[in-house]
Amino acid sequence: MVPPDLLETLAAILGASNLHVAADALLAYGTDALKRGHPAEAVALPADTSQVARVVAACAAHRVPFVPRGAGTGYTGGAVPLHGGVVISLERMNRILEIDEANLLAVVEPHVVTGDLQAAVEKVGLFYPPDPASLHMSVIGGNVAECAGGPRAFKYGTTKRYVLGLEAVLPTGEVIETGGKVVKNVVGYDLTHLLVGSEGTLAIITKIILRLVPKPPVQATLRASFTSVEAAVEAVSEIIRRRVVPAALELIDGESLEAVAQNLQVRSLAPEGTAAILLLEVDGSAAAVAEDALRVEEACTAAGTTEILRARDDAERMELWRVRREISLSLKMITPLKFNHDVVVPKGRIPELFALVGRIRDAYRLRIPCFGHAGDGNIHVNIMVMPDDADEIERAHEAEKVLFEGVVALEGSISGEHGIGFSKAPFLPIELSPDEIALMRRVKQAFDPLELLNPGKIFPP
Amino acid sequence: MVPPDLLETLAAILGASNLHVAADALLAYGTDALKRGHPAEAVALPADTSQVARVVAACAAHRVPFVPRGAGTGYTGGAVPLHGGVVISLERMNRILEIDEANLLAVVEPHVVTGDLQAAVEKVGLFYPPDPASLHMSVIGGNVAECAGGPRAFKYGTTKRYVLGLEAVLPTGEVIETGGKVVKNVVGYDLTHLLVGSEGTLAIITKIILRLVPKPPVQATLRASFTSVEAAVEAVSEIIRRRVVPAALELIDGESLEAVAQNLQVRSLAPEGTAAILLLEVDGSAAAVAEDALRVEEACTAAGTTEILRARDDAERMELWRVRREISLSLKMITPLKFNHDVVVPKGRIPELFALVGRIRDAYRLRIPCFGHAGDGNIHVNIMVMPDDADEIERAHEAEKVLFEGVVALEGSISGEHGIGFSKAPFLPIELSPDEIALMRRVKQAFDPLELLNPGKIFPP
């Protein structure tokens, strides 16, 4: 319960118009892309770091929990105020503070939309590679909290690789800075990368220093079709064997492809008999791109591709990418509910992952279209269910557990991108040992001794 | 004091021949490249992770401190048993366990010499980029504990970027695994990157999973001479402005150059009047290298280089690199003692760093040759002193503090590569706030509640 005098204090800190207590706001700020929300008791909209710190200190003094919130596009409930309390939305802290061309870095507030930052730095010939599917909605602060990935991670790495420094408010109210504007820093513990991916459970990030790289001048996009997932994965291996590092290496299975074809109302998106396609992008200098594209084509041919297309211009490039961009929406059109899991295995074991999914599909009678980042071994496994079919939902939940156990047995991980939030928290012990979980709990305690920041997340209930 | 019954227990775990208690061994294992040692009370040589865990548990039961040790090449005393106790040398755990070409990774025990791993993976066309100057002596475990850098960090990043997973023994004796064989993993807190660079104060690393990349097929090495440090730094800016990312971008100042010339007994290593040289390397496909080398030459010319050489073959390449490799030894020949500091500033501020060093040189009457990784803004500032000149040593210590304060004022960091150990621990508060240090102490507590692992390091006494 948020006591009235805390509300008064918050209003005094923020101004009354920046504190929401109306029921519709409490609901809206209580849910995220997981669609399993819990209403907030108050929503604070701080304007700057000092206001964040004061809001946190006030909540802590009242022993009221608080939950930081970015754009609410997360898939595992990370921004949901599961135990009520105050949602601290960073939406007013949305400025790009600095694009420093000489030092190849940007300084941003947390609520800068990722795609907007990319556009801004590309204007001066620089590049911020992480490209989660949500990039036109999600914000850098959320990307950092979740360590967002995306297709380009195979070549460029995930968000983690680009975070040089942070300013953050501890759950006890102190403002700390970690890392900084230098690309190397070994002074004390690397709290920067501990905070990246900590899902808003250790501190509230209020400023981010990001490393940038030169924008690759040329891209080439290719699409290769295969009659089996195994052949597509063999092409990935052939590409790696040829020591090419594509900027993107996306795999889409036949079931996902069929969903997109239905949704776009085209008869087919690839030659008849296609069970998997690879979408490939290489980037760099013109000479390097020409060379790499050729080797990618050779690799796909060696693996028995039935058709390979190379985009001749930007319009064709966008057309090839379209099928990838339409998947999520298309799947939703077929079945309103999906349990989408972002499991990851060593890439050489992707065929075993698909074999596992095949067994689960049969055993639990479920539709499970798969697609994702083949270069990283990070495959989105979508268990599709009808919301009114209780039996199917139960089968889906059983299937989830079998999937996670199977992935860990393949030396993989139950999440490569979306994090744990509260939706995957019960499954944490499948991947981590009791000693490892106990250690993480002690780390959490080191940051949040009162357990007020984003409670109910990551750790099994 | 190590009690006799602990020694008996250790001998039982390790076999008597793998427990050293002779005075010469206790001295040898009590020092590292800092040359300010403290004798160990016993030296344990475990053969595997289970023995490490049992040694740790035995020490913990007796409340005796213990210190992990790699090759002892660190510059800040990280491997020194400052409070006595048991040194745990990982020297017998020196196997490359796996080079996995399909998944682009290697699994190694901690005591694999970095250069040996590089040679092994290069045989199959792969590449492990981090290249600390010590690479033919230092070992991966130590590189991970210190987050080693090197010339190639500008393009490829430091050790951190290549560590996918770890096995480690906690100071309380439990064995944990962090990360794994997948390149993406967001399950729980990123303990992997918290352990990287933690200087052996949080856990003892017993196994390392490293990411590899394809070996760049072609390299080109260039050397450009300048009449001022400012002009050399301007060339770095021009290179960045042209969006070229050299694999190495090393700066050597006139005083360092003069030391090498003296030591090698050549009259001069660069045109008369040279105050700084840049050593540059570009790598990639043949076409990309040709293009980048040209742009680097243009950039250096634009900044007023007085001479630019491009190596025509491997022999010339080695010759150009020779001056860089000879610096440390040459400096030692002139003055037996150096306080070598690896400060780092945003690269655009390198001229201000050199101006600061110039002021310190004059004010404290010291010789301070500088060289280092200009692309990263990471400059090795060597304060040279005669060991028998007490007044000079005192001036040098005063100069150190001024240097560190100045670097932090330039938005830099007091260490980019060597870490804090105990030699820089008193200076930590120059860079970190009391709140930040207190938080790091709580993190240390979360791992090491009895404060037995490598005590006296990182935190100010």
Side-chain angles (χ1 to χ4, degrees):
Chain A
M1 250 297 285
V2 176
D5 57 336
L6 174 56
L7 289 179
E8 270 171 45
T9 306
L10 296 180
I13 295 167
L14 302 163
S17 63
N18 294 309
L19 180 70
H20 295 330
V21 288
D24 56 342
L26 301 183
L27 276 177
Y29 282 90
T31 189
D32 65 8
L34 177 67
K35 308 280 179 219
R36 286 162 54 193
H38 183 286
E41 294 175 78
V43 179
L45 309 180
D48 57 30
T49 304
S50 140
Q51 288 192 359
V52 174
R54 288 161 67 202
V55 167
V56 164
C59 291
H62 285 84
R63 302 291 188 269
V64 165
F66 42 95
V67 178
R69 183 183 176 90
T73 58
Y75 276 128
T76 54
V80 172
L82 206 61
H83 296 191
V86 178
V87 164
I88 302 177
S89 170
L90 285 310
E91 65 198 72
R92 293 171 69 206
M93 296 172 65
N94 61 359
R95 290 174 304 161
I96 297 176
L97 300 174
E98 205 179 329
I99 294 175
D100 179 345
E101 290 188 64
N103 293 307
L104 299 176
L105 57 86
V107 184
V108 302
E109 290 185 328
H111 213 85
V112 171
V113 173
T114 306
D116 293 350
L117 175 71
Q118 289 180 334
V121 304
E122 286 179 29
K123 265 189 206 154
V124 295
L126 296 176
F127 193 47
Y128 175 69
D131 58 344
S134 58
L135 67 89
H136 294 298
M137 291 182 294
S138 66
V139 294
I140 297 287
N143 286 187
V144 170
E146 301 291 325
C147 190
R152 286 200 285 247
F154 178 56
K155 176 168 180 175
Y156 290 100
T158 62
T159 302
K160 183 174 297 289
R161 201 182 288 175
Y162 297 89
V163 183
L164 291 178
L166 296 170
E167 178 192 78
V169 175
L170 296 183
T172 36
E174 305 96 318
V175 178
I176 61 163
E177 289 179 14
T178 72
K181 286 190 173 177
V182 290
V183 291
K184 285 169 164 178
N185 182 326
V186 290
V187 174
Y189 299 135
D190 183 354
L191 301 183
T192 306
H193 292 98
L194 180 60
L195 290 179
V196 176
S198 65
E199 306 192 38
T201 66
L202 296 182
I204 301 180
I205 294 163
T206 50
K207 193 155 73 181
I208 301 140
I209 305 175
L210 293 169
R211 191 172 72 89
L212 304 172
V213 296
K215 183 170 158 56
V218 178
Q219 283 92 17
T221 302
L222 300 98
R223 191 188 79 187
S225 304
F226 300 88
T227 54
S228 69
V229 167
E230 288 70 22
V233 174
E234 178 56 25
V236 173
S237 301
E238 288 284 345
I239 290 166
I240 290 167
R241 212 165 287 146
R242 282 167 173 76
R243 308 296 183 226
V244 182
V245 183
L249 223 172
E250 297 289 292
L251 185 148
I252 303 169
D253 80 351
E255 203 167 340
S256 305
L257 215 52
E258 180 55 31
V260 178
Q262 266 186 42
N263 185 37
L264 299 183
Q265 299 191 300
V266 296
R267 261 190 75 194
S268 168
L269 289 164
E272 204 164 328
T274 296
I277 65 168
L278 288 180
L279 266 176
L280 298 136
E281 192 152 282
V282 290
D283 67 4
S285 70
V289 165
E291 204 176 306
D292 283 353
L294 200 67
R295 285 152 82 197
V296 163
E297 287 177 344
E298 286 168 7
C300 291
T301 303
T305 181
T306 52
E307 182 189 68
I308 185 153
L309 305 174
R310 195 197 300 195
R312 281 162 303 187
D313 53 35
D314 257 14
E316 283 193 7
R317 229 185 115 211
M318 290 302 112
E319 186 55 31
L320 291 187
W321 273 106
R322 190 176 171 207
V323 51
R324 175 68 178 83
R325 286 200 317 273
E326 293 287 344
I327 296 176
S328 278
L329 191 66
S330 302
L331 293 181
K332 253 181 231 156
M333 302 295 279
I334 315 175
T335 323
L337 197 59
K338 62 172 179 175
F339 300 161
N340 75 342
H341 294 303
D342 57 322
V343 298
V344 51
V345 294
K347 55 185 147 300
R349 308 194 78 161
I350 296 176
E352 292 169 79
L353 172 62
F354 272 90
L356 168 69
V357 171
R359 289 195 302 274
I360 292 173
R361 191 182 275 130
D362 294 344
Y364 294 92
R365 291 172 292 119
L366 293 162
R367 275 161 302 173
I368 316 182
C370 298
F371 62 93
H373 319 303
D376 299 320
N378 180 203
I379 303 293
H380 295 277
V381 175
N382 303 276
I383 304 179
M384 311 302 297
V385 290
M386 297 301 286
D388 51 3
D389 186 338
D391 179 64
E392 190 172 54
I393 289 177
E394 197 181 320
R395 278 181 280 128
H397 282 307
E398 284 170 33
E400 278 180 320
K401 191 153 176 276
V402 175
L403 172 70
F404 292 150
E405 287 168 347
V407 162
V408 170
L410 292 172
E411 300 182 286
S413 171
I414 65 173
S415 179
E417 293 187 329
H418 301 163
I420 300 301
F422 72 91
S423 69
K424 283 192 182 171
F427 303 113
L428 201 72
I430 293 177
E431 185 163 335
L432 302 181
S433 74
D435 285 341
E436 288 153 9
I437 294 173
L439 176 61
M440 288 185 188
R441 283 192 195 272
R442 294 197 299 274
V443 170
K444 165 76 171 166
Q445 275 278 330
F447 280 79
D448 185 17
L450 300 172
E451 299 194 44
L452 292 174
L453 175 58
N454 209 352
K457 305 300 167 68
I458 299 182
F459 298 103
Chain B
M1 249 297 285
V2 177
D5 58 336
L6 173 56
L7 289 179
E8 270 170 46
T9 306
L10 296 180
I13 294 168
L14 302 163
S17 63
N18 294 310
L19 180 70
H20 295 329
V21 288
D24 56 342
L26 301 184
L27 276 178
Y29 283 90
T31 190
D32 65 7
L34 177 65
K35 309 281 180 221
R36 284 163 53 194
H38 183 287
E41 293 175 78
V43 180
L45 309 180
D48 57 31
T49 304
S50 140
Q51 287 192 0
V52 174
R54 288 161 67 201
V55 167
V56 164
C59 291
H62 284 84
R63 302 291 188 268
V64 166
F66 42 95
V67 178
R69 182 182 177 89
T73 58
Y75 276 128
T76 54
V80 173
L82 207 59
H83 296 189
V86 177
V87 164
I88 302 176
S89 169
L90 284 310
E91 64 197 74
R92 293 171 68 206
M93 296 173 65
N94 60 0
R95 291 173 304 161
I96 297 175
L97 300 173
E98 206 178 329
I99 294 174
D100 180 345
E101 290 187 63
N103 293 307
L104 300 176
L105 57 86
V107 184
V108 302
E109 291 184 326
H111 214 85
V112 171
V113 172
T114 305
D116 293 349
L117 175 71
Q118 289 179 334
V121 305
E122 287 179 30
K123 266 189 205 153
V124 296
L126 296 176
F127 194 47
Y128 175 69
D131 57 344
S134 59
L135 69 89
H136 294 298
M137 290 183 294
S138 66
V139 294
I140 297 287
N143 286 187
V144 170
E146 300 292 325
C147 190
R152 286 200 286 248
F154 179 56
K155 176 167 179 174
Y156 290 99
T158 62
T159 302
K160 185 175 293 292
R161 199 182 290 176
Y162 297 88
V163 182
L164 291 177
L166 296 170
E167 178 192 79
V169 176
L170 296 183
T172 36
E174 304 96 317
V175 178
I176 61 162
E177 290 179 13
T178 71
K181 286 189 173 178
V182 291
V183 292
K184 286 168 162 179
N185 182 327
V186 290
V187 174
Y189 300 134
D190 183 355
L191 302 183
T192 306
H193 292 98
L194 181 60
L195 290 180
V196 177
S198 65
E199 306 193 37
T201 67
L202 296 182
I204 300 180
I205 294 164
T206 50
K207 194 155 74 181
I208 302 139
I209 305 175
L210 293 169
R211 191 171 74 88
L212 304 172
V213 296
K215 182 171 159 53
V218 178
Q219 283 93 16
T221 302
L222 300 99
R223 191 189 79 188
S225 305
F226 300 89
T227 54
S228 70
V229 168
E230 288 69 23
V233 174
E234 179 55 25
V236 173
S237 302
E238 287 285 344
I239 290 167
I240 290 167
R241 212 165 288 147
R242 283 168 173 75
R243 307 299 182 223
V244 183
V245 183
L249 222 173
E250 297 288 293
L251 185 147
I252 303 169
D253 80 351
E255 204 169 337
S256 305
L257 216 52
E258 179 55 31
V260 178
Q262 266 186 42
N263 185 37
L264 299 183
Q265 299 192 301
V266 295
R267 262 189 75 194
S268 168
L269 289 164
E272 204 164 329
T274 296
I277 64 168
L278 288 180
L279 265 177
L280 298 136
E281 192 152 282
V282 290
D283 66 4
S285 69
V289 165
E291 205 176 304
D292 283 353
L294 200 67
R295 284 152 83 197
V296 163
E297 288 176 344
E298 286 168 7
C300 291
T301 303
T305 181
T306 52
E307 182 190 68
I308 185 153
L309 303 174
R310 194 197 302 194
R312 283 163 300 188
D313 52 35
D314 258 13
E316 284 193 7
R317 229 185 116 213
M318 290 303 112
E319 187 55 31
L320 290 188
W321 273 107
R322 190 176 171 207
V323 53
R324 175 68 179 83
R325 286 199 318 273
E326 294 286 344
I327 295 176
S328 279
L329 192 65
S330 302
L331 293 181
K332 254 182 229 156
M333 303 295 277
I334 315 175
T335 325
L337 197 57
K338 62 172 180 174
F339 300 160
N340 74 340
H341 294 302
D342 57 320
V343 299
V344 50
V345 295
K347 54 186 148 302
R349 307 194 79 160
I350 297 177
E352 291 169 80
L353 172 62
F354 272 89
L356 168 69
V357 171
R359 288 195 302 274
I360 293 173
R361 192 183 275 131
D362 294 344
Y364 295 91
R365 290 172 292 120
L366 293 162
R367 275 161 303 173
I368 315 182
C370 297
F371 62 93
H373 319 302
D376 299 320
N378 180 202
I379 303 293
H380 295 278
V381 175
N382 303 274
I383 305 179
M384 311 303 296
V385 290
M386 297 303 285
D388 51 3
D389 186 339
D391 179 65
E392 190 173 55
I393 289 177
E394 197 181 319
R395 278 181 280 128
H397 281 306
E398 283 169 34
E400 278 182 320
K401 192 155 176 275
V402 176
L403 172 69
F404 293 151
E405 285 168 350
V407 162
V408 170
L410 292 172
E411 299 182 287
S413 171
I414 65 173
S415 179
E417 292 187 330
H418 301 162
I420 300 302
F422 72 92
S423 69
K424 284 192 182 170
F427 304 112
L428 202 71
I430 294 177
E431 184 162 336
L432 301 181
S433 74
D435 285 341
E436 289 154 8
I437 294 174
L439 175 61
M440 288 186 189
R441 282 192 195 272
R442 294 197 300 273
V443 170
K444 164 76 171 166
Q445 275 278 329
F447 280 78
D448 185 16
L450 300 172
E451 299 195 45
L452 293 174
L453 176 58
N454 209 353
K457 306 300 168 67
I458 298 181
F459 298 102

